[in-house]
């Protein structure tokens, strides 16, 4: 490699949130009417400027713009191209903020308008439901699913990618705009029309993209990053042809504008030939998930194609072993021209915390093994320097990287022989309930004595400002343990009494002592670490701080038994023991990369098994083991599904099967389309499964119907991700749709998900309406008003 200049460093995308979650607080202030649209937009602009400057100052040469979003980049794209569902009463032109947020969050809408001065547009009508939300590929980020129709029309309604480029340019920073590719956008879309073929809309959508590219070029853009992660999925011939057609057209729209096509989250696999045949200037490869593809792509790609090498993990927090990366890639790229290479993370660092330097309380050793977005940017610069100028130019950084990797590999904080021995002792008997479901259900029905269509909630109740304030004060040492516990007991008792008052059949304690459904357990398990400021966006203004699984996992002490005992002592009604399942803890954490994910999951499963058996010994008759993220871990390629599903099911059963027949095991799953994995869901053998179905109008139940799923099901009857309160009739209609698919004996009535993020003024009327709907149905069925489904 001839050395004449530094290899470019690109970042593909950065976190949007701000170091102190400035975006979250600005959004929630705007939504609550405490600030104006101008205030929100000013905060957003300041965050963008800071992010661009930081990248520039660290030596990034390919700085992305338009990677920022107020809510979601897929929603931004839908708004940009005019894909606004008709229920939002959009009248054309640029989509106003209030319609944009109604698409994301729904709207209660008692009157026209949105509640306070400064909102530019009135959303007409009542009870607007949000667009469907689901996971972005196999990440823990949610996107809003575009809703399209067969007669869909498109138009360029927003100049956001251009505006942000010019905004950065005014600061003296030349950026590379990022846009979501047209084929991926269509593949992610859904339609109410049966047999919908999204790719049939491509000829109507492409002129909008062509217009955008031409305007970007006129604005001074030389490179544009177009994200097409759909290229790592299983594609049919029609979809591959769509890529060829799309980029054949786009390459001619602005011939002098260079396109960097970004693929990530896996290998191109059988789509490789399609990708490298496209008329592109550059192609980004995820070489963390699929390092093996570099040699093949490098050999087959056109000689003038710039390859963006995704060498640093954009989805996990581990510090890279930089010398090992150089050893792997240097022989492959040694003969390439300098201008044919870029160094980049595997994907956008949207999925990362921002800066490790804010974490002053982490264990020193664990901290030395980590890198967040800021540190990963520095790692990219070191790799580029070493490749451009030789290893001696970055000798100090490379030495420190190698030493950290070696220390982690041998640390006793990582490896626990007792845990490893317990894993080796797992046998088949530990993965089976004592009796089949048909026998267990009879025993449980007699023991529990529940009415038809029993009502319950998923677990959590609102984490009010008072709850958060008390937790914060206790954490800071401003509120004593005794006073904090007294506060929590008061909140728990109030929740129990209120549930009794409205007539819920199965109660929960409300989880006021829990900061997060994963963090709460992780803080009590060995082998996990937690951050103070490691926030990652889940959706909109919802951020999480994922645990970091750095070592072998075990449970030193019971984690939930004491709070369950307190709650159950307050009522004669059953209170569910509430746990988070092993697969969800795994999938919602930053997982160690030095052992297989399946091994880490089995360790967690044994820890949860210990908690389940302790709850049963304490008297719990119902134990819910939430596996909200079960489907999220599903590999993107179907050929890899079986291996994952086998060990994921095994881990749930390891956690859940140590109880007797009379103990009813519940689980909860959200954002899950079960059709293709229904056999695995059945193999989990939970007595009751609750799922999200309200936004899909019970469509998700079709899988359970066609497979003749025998166990009990609680289909969510209202959307907890929206602030609106469903009416009794609306809930009744959804329950009736469920009755068309399931027998009455199978049906439970519950919300879609936990209520932690909602306000009590939303939760109280919603749950009262839910109970009223269930009671009315119960009375009508018992009176013979209509036949059993």
């Amino acid at each position: 490699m001839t050395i004449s200049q530094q290899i470019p460093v690109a970042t593909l995308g950065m976190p949007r949130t701000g170091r102190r979650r400035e975006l979250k607080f600005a959004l929630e202030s705007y939504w609550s009417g405490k600030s104006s649209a101008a205030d929100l937009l000013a905060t957003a602009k300041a965050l963008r400027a800071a992010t661009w400057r930081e990248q520039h100052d660290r030596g990034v040469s390919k700085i992305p713009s338009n990677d920022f979003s107020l809510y979601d980049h897929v929603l931004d794209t839908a708004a940009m191209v005019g894909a606004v569902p008709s229920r939002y009463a959009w009248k054309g032109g640029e989509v106003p903020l209030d319609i944009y947020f109604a698409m994301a969050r729904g709207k209660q809408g008692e009157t026209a308008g949105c509640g306070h001065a400064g909102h530019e547009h009135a959303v007409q009508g009542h009870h607007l439901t949000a667009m469907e939300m689901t996971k972005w590929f196999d990440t823990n980020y949610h996107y809003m699913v575009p809703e399209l129709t067969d007669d869909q029309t498109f138009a360029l309604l927003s100049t956001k990618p251009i505006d942000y480029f010019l905004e950065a340019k005014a600061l003296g920073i030349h950026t590379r705009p990022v846009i979501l590719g047209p084929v991926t956008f269509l593949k992610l879309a859904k339609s109410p029309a049966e047999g919908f073929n999204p790719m049939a809309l491509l000829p109507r959508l492409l002129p909008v993209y062509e217009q955008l590219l031409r305007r970007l070029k006129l604005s001074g853009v030389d490179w544009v990053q177009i994200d097409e992660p759909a290229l790592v999925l299983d594609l049919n011939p029609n979809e591959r042809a769509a890529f060829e057609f799309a980029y054949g057209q786009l390459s001619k729209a602005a011939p002098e504008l260079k396109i960097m096509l970004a693929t990530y989250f896996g290998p191109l696999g059988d789509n490789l030939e399609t990708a490298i045949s496209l008329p592109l200037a550059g192609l980004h490869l995820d070489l963390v998930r699929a390092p093996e593809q570099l040699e093949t792509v490098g050999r087959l790609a056109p000689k003038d194609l710039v390859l963006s090498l995704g060498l640093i993990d954009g989805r996990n927090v581990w510090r890279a072993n930089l010398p090992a990366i150089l050893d792997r890639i240097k022989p492959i790229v040694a003969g390439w021209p300098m201008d044919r290479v870029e160094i980049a993370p595997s994907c956008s660092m949207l999925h990362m915390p921002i800066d490790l330097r804010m974490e002053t309380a982490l264990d020193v050793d664990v901290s030395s093994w980590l890198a967040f977005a800021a540190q990963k940017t520095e790692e990219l610069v070191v790799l580029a320097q070493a490749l451009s100028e030789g290893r001696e130019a970055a000798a100090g950084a490379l030495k420190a990287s190698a030493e950290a990797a070696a220390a982690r590999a041998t640390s006793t904080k990582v490896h626990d022989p007792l845990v490893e021995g317990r894993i080796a002792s797992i046998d088949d008997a530990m993965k089976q309930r004592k009796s089949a479901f048909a026998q267990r259900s009879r025993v449980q029905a007699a023991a529990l004595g529940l009415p038809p269509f029993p009502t319950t909630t998923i677990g959590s109740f609102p984490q009010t400002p008072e709850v958060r304030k008390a937790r914060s004060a206790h954490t800071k040492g401003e509120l004593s343990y005794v006073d904090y516990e007294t506060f929590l007991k008061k909140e728990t008792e109030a929740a129990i009494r209120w549930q009794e008052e409205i007539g819920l059949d199965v109660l929960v304690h409300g989880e006021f002592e829990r900061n997060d459904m994963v963090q709460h357990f992780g803080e009590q398990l060995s082998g996990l670490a937690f951050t103070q400021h490691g926030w990652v966006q889940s959706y909109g203004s919802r951020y999480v701080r994922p645990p970091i699984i750095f070592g072998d996992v075990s449970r030193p002490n019971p984690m939930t038994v004491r709070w369950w005992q307190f709650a159950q002592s307050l009522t004669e009604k059953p209170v569910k023991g509430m746990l988070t399942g092993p697969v969800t803890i795994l999938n919602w954490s930053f997982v160690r990369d030095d052992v297989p994910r399946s091994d880490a999951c089995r360790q967690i499963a044994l820890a949860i098994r210990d908690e389940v058996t302790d709850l049963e010994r304490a008297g719990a008759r119902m134990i819910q083991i939430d596996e909200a993220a079960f489907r999220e871990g599903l590999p993107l390629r179907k050929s890899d599904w079986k291996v994952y599903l086998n060990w994921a099911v095994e881990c749930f059963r390891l956690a859940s099967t140590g109880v007797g027949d009379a103990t009813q095991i519940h689980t909860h799953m959200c954002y899950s389309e079960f059709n293709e994995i229904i056999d695995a869901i059945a193999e989990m053998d939970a007595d009751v499964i609750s799922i999200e179905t309200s936004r899909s109008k019970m469509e998700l139940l079709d899988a359970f119907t066609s497979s003749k799923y025998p166990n009990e099901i609680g289909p969510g009857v209202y959307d907890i991700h929206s602030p609106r309160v469903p009416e009794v009739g609306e809930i009744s209609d959804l329950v009736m749709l469920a009755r068309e698919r399931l027998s009455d004996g199978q049906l439970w009535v519950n919300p879609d998900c936990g209520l932690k993020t909602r306000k009590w003024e939303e939760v109280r009327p919603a749950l009262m309406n839910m109970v009223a709907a269930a009671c009315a149905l119960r009375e009508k069925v018992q009176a013979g008003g209509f036949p059993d489904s």
Side-chain angles (χ1 to χ4, degrees):
M1 181 181 288
T2 302
I3 307 301
S4 59
Q5 61 183 21
Q6 185 84 8
I7 290 176
V9 171
T11 52
L12 303 188
M14 295 294 284
R16 309 158 177 165
T17 59
R19 277 176 166 74
R20 303 287 180 182
R21 294 182 289 164
E22 291 89 342
L23 181 59
K24 170 187 176 67
F25 299 125
L27 282 167
E28 293 175 354
S29 176
Y30 172 71
W31 292 335
S32 67
K34 296 176 182 176
S35 62
S36 68
D39 295 328
L40 171 62
L41 297 178
T43 297
K45 184 175 182 179
L47 288 172
R48 291 193 295 271
T51 302
W52 290 326
R53 289 193 183 102
E54 288 171 12
Q55 292 176 85
H56 179 269
D57 292 346
R58 290 194 191 103
V60 178
S61 48
K62 300 290 185 181
I63 298 173
S65 58
N66 199 45
D67 54 328
F68 179 88
S69 173
L70 287 174
Y71 201 97
D72 165 53
H73 59 282
V74 183
L75 179 62
D76 290 353
T77 306
M80 182 181 74
V81 303
V84 181
S86 59
R87 65 181 175 278
Y88 299 107
W90 170 62
K91 304 301 183 184
E94 185 170 354
V95 176
L97 271 183
D98 288 331
I99 286 184
Y100 174 87
F101 287 131
M103 292 165 71
R105 306 175 67 238
K107 182 182 178 295
Q108 184 68 30
E110 293 301 327
T111 59
C114 286
H116 65 80
H119 287 193
E120 301 87 342
H121 190 89
V123 180
Q124 303 296 326
H126 299 267
H127 307 310
L128 289 174
T129 57
M131 292 166 61
E132 186 176 332
M133 181 168 61
T134 194
K135 296 290 181 167
W136 174 246
F137 291 79
D138 59 351
T139 74
N140 289 326
Y141 173 80
H142 303 67
Y143 75 93
M144 306 308 300
V145 179
E147 295 179 23
L148 306 177
T149 59
D150 287 330
D151 60 350
Q152 186 75 47
T153 60
F154 301 101
L156 183 62
L157 303 177
S158 168
T159 57
K160 177 173 171 279
I162 302 165
D163 297 341
Y164 287 1
F165 171 80
L166 294 175
E167 191 178 297
K169 185 177 180 180
L171 299 173
I173 299 174
H174 186 82
T175 60
R176 184 168 70 184
V178 180
I179 56 177
L180 178 62
V183 181
T184 295
F185 175 76
L186 291 176
K187 187 166 177 58
L188 297 177
K190 65 173 290 185
S191 172
E194 192 171 340
F196 174 65
N197 175 18
M199 295 307 151
L201 299 176
L202 188 60
R204 299 182 215 167
L205 179 61
L206 282 179
V208 177
Y209 275 79
E210 292 171 24
Q211 183 184 356
L212 175 61
L213 294 182
R214 286 192 292 267
R215 294 187 64 175
L216 285 168
K217 180 59 184 173
L218 290 173
S219 299
V221 175
D222 53 356
W223 278 88
V224 62
Q225 176 185 318
I226 303 183
D227 286 0
E228 290 282 14
L231 274 165
V232 307
L233 302 177
D234 293 316
L235 299 180
N236 59 42
N238 178 51
E239 290 165 335
R240 290 197 186 99
F243 275 105
E244 294 168 359
F245 173 66
Y247 288 89
Q249 295 295 106
L250 295 181
S251 65
K252 295 182 286 190
E256 296 178 0
L257 179 64
K258 297 178 180 179
I259 295 174
M260 171 61 71
L261 190 74
T263 68
Y264 39 80
F265 300 150
L268 290 165
D270 55 358
N271 301 322
L272 188 151
E273 184 177 340
T274 297
I276 62 177
S277 70
L278 301 177
L280 304 168
L283 179 65
H284 173 77
L285 304 171
D286 183 340
L287 299 177
V288 173
R289 282 283 185 93
E292 71 284 350
Q293 65 182 336
L294 175 60
E295 186 171 4
T296 304
V297 174
R299 186 177 69 253
L300 299 178
K303 297 306 177 187
D304 59 348
L305 184 69
V306 176
L307 291 180
S308 171
L309 309 183
L311 298 172
I312 298 295
D313 195 341
R315 290 184 51 176
N316 212 337
V317 293
W318 301 108
R319 184 174 179 176
N321 186 336
L322 299 178
I325 292 174
L326 290 170
D327 289 343
R328 187 178 81 241
I329 69 164
K330 189 65 182 287
I332 301 173
V333 304
W336 295 0
M338 177 77 67
D339 59 3
R340 194 187 167 193
V341 182
E342 288 182 8
I343 302 298
S346 58
C347 60
S348 166
M349 289 192 282
L350 165 68
H351 313 287
M352 296 296 304
I354 295 178
D355 194 344
L356 181 63
R357 281 167 288 215
M358 298 179 70
E359 304 302 330
T360 57
L362 270 176
D363 177 272
V364 173
D365 290 334
V366 173
S367 181
S368 71
W369 306 330
L370 303 177
F372 293 174
Q375 289 68 49
K376 288 178 182 288
T377 303
E378 293 163 359
E379 290 181 323
L380 292 169
V381 173
V382 171
L383 283 176
Q385 183 182 26
L387 283 171
S388 301
E389 305 170 27
R391 293 195 185 204
E392 62 281 0
L398 294 177
K399 181 174 183 289
S401 173
E403 289 174 348
R408 181 183 168 208
T410 58
S411 174
T412 56
K413 294 179 180 179
V414 173
H415 305 287
D416 184 344
L418 294 177
V419 174
E420 293 166 4
R422 193 175 180 197
I423 291 293
S425 69
I426 293 172
D427 59 27
D428 289 342
M430 295 175 66
K431 307 172 192 175
Q432 304 287 336
R433 291 292 294 269
K434 294 177 175 60
S435 304
F437 172 74
Q439 180 176 338
R440 299 196 312 264
S441 63
R442 290 192 294 271
V443 174
Q444 291 164 15
L448 295 169
L450 296 173
F453 312 109
T455 56
T456 189
T457 65
I458 301 304
S460 60
F461 278 140
Q463 296 271 313
T464 62
E466 292 77 18
V467 171
R468 294 194 298 270
K469 181 179 178 181
R471 180 181 300 122
S472 177
H474 176 59
T475 301
K476 295 174 182 176
E478 299 167 358
L479 184 67
S480 72
Y481 174 83
V482 172
D483 289 342
Y484 183 49
E485 179 132 325
T486 299
F487 170 82
L488 292 175
K489 285 184 175 180
K490 181 180 177 182
E491 293 291 315
T492 302
E493 182 168 4
I496 292 290
R497 299 291 177 233
W498 182 75
Q499 291 173 84
E500 288 183 317
E501 178 184 331
I502 69 167
L504 281 165
D505 300 305
V506 175
L507 313 188
V508 297
H509 79 288
E511 305 180 13
F512 302 108
E513 82 286 5
R514 303 185 186 185
N515 42 22
D516 176 84
M517 67 179 290
V518 172
Q519 183 176 350
H520 178 74
F521 293 94
E523 287 176 338
Q524 300 180 77
L525 296 171
S526 299
L528 284 82
F530 291 84
T531 63
Q532 294 171 295
H533 305 285
W535 298 101
V536 178
Q537 186 180 22
S538 176
Y539 63 88
S541 68
R542 170 68 170 156
Y543 303 158
V544 295
R545 286 180 297 168
I548 298 168
I549 303 176
F550 67 85
D552 290 337
V553 177
S554 61
R555 186 202 72 148
N557 298 293
M559 300 181 287
T560 66
V561 174
R562 188 169 63 88
W563 277 108
W564 175 83
Q565 287 175 317
F566 172 72
Q568 187 62 78
S569 72
L570 301 171
T571 181
E572 294 298 317
K573 289 190 172 184
V575 177
K576 288 188 287 189
M578 300 299 304
L579 305 174
T580 301
V583 182
T584 295
I585 291 176
L586 182 89
N587 285 335
W588 284 358
S589 299
F590 291 119
V591 183
R592 57 193 291 194
D593 58 357
D594 59 332
V595 298
R597 291 174 66 87
S598 56
D599 286 359
C601 197
R602 288 185 183 95
Q603 293 178 4
I604 302 168
L606 290 177
I608 299 301
R609 181 185 182 93
D610 293 342
E611 189 71 13
V612 169
T613 55
D614 278 351
L615 280 167
E616 184 185 49
R617 278 194 290 268
R621 292 173 285 169
M622 295 180 180
I623 302 171
Q624 182 169 309
I625 307 171
D626 284 345
E627 285 295 13
F630 186 88
R631 196 186 188 283
E632 291 174 19
L634 205 61
L636 296 176
R637 295 282 189 155
K638 288 186 178 180
S639 58
D640 300 323
W641 284 13
K642 184 176 181 180
V643 170
Y644 166 77
L645 290 172
N646 284 346
W647 64 253
V649 168
E650 175 193 329
C651 288
F652 180 82
R653 293 176 72 125
L654 270 176
S656 64
T657 57
V659 297
D661 287 353
T663 300
Q664 191 174 72
I665 295 293
H666 291 234
T667 191
H668 169 68
M669 297 182 178
C670 49
Y671 315 116
S672 299
E673 296 182 5
F674 297 120
N675 298 60
E676 295 175 298
I677 64 166
I678 191 63
D679 290 342
I681 302 299
E683 284 295 313
M684 293 171 69
D685 198 25
D687 297 305
V688 183
I689 179 173
S690 56
I691 57 174
E692 176 275 320
T693 51
S694 68
R695 287 196 182 188
S696 67
K697 301 295 186 288
M698 298 290 160
E699 288 177 7
L700 291 175
L701 288 179
D702 292 341
F704 294 87
T705 306
S706 60
S707 68
K708 294 181 169 53
Y709 184 80
N711 300 24
E712 297 174 26
I713 306 176
V717 295
Y718 82 87
D719 176 19
I720 68 90
H721 297 99
S722 171
R724 56 181 297 274
V725 174
E727 296 176 347
V728 174
E730 178 183 339
I731 295 173
S732 297
D733 289 345
L734 286 174
V735 176
M736 293 303 293
L737 286 174
R739 292 185 76 245
E740 294 175 3
R741 296 164 167 86
L742 301 171
S743 70
D744 287 352
Q746 287 181 283
L747 274 173
W748 286 63
V749 179
N750 50 256
D752 270 347
C753 199
L755 299 164
K756 172 183 176 180
T757 61
R758 299 266 55 93
K759 299 176 180 178
W760 274 112
E761 52 264 38
E762 301 158 355
V763 167
R764 286 191 178 98
L767 287 183
M768 290 171 70
N769 289 349
M770 185 188 82
V771 172
C775 289
L777 175 63
R778 190 178 298 159
E779 291 171 4
K780 194 166 184 179
V781 169
Q782 290 176 335
F786 40 70
D788 182 90
S789 61

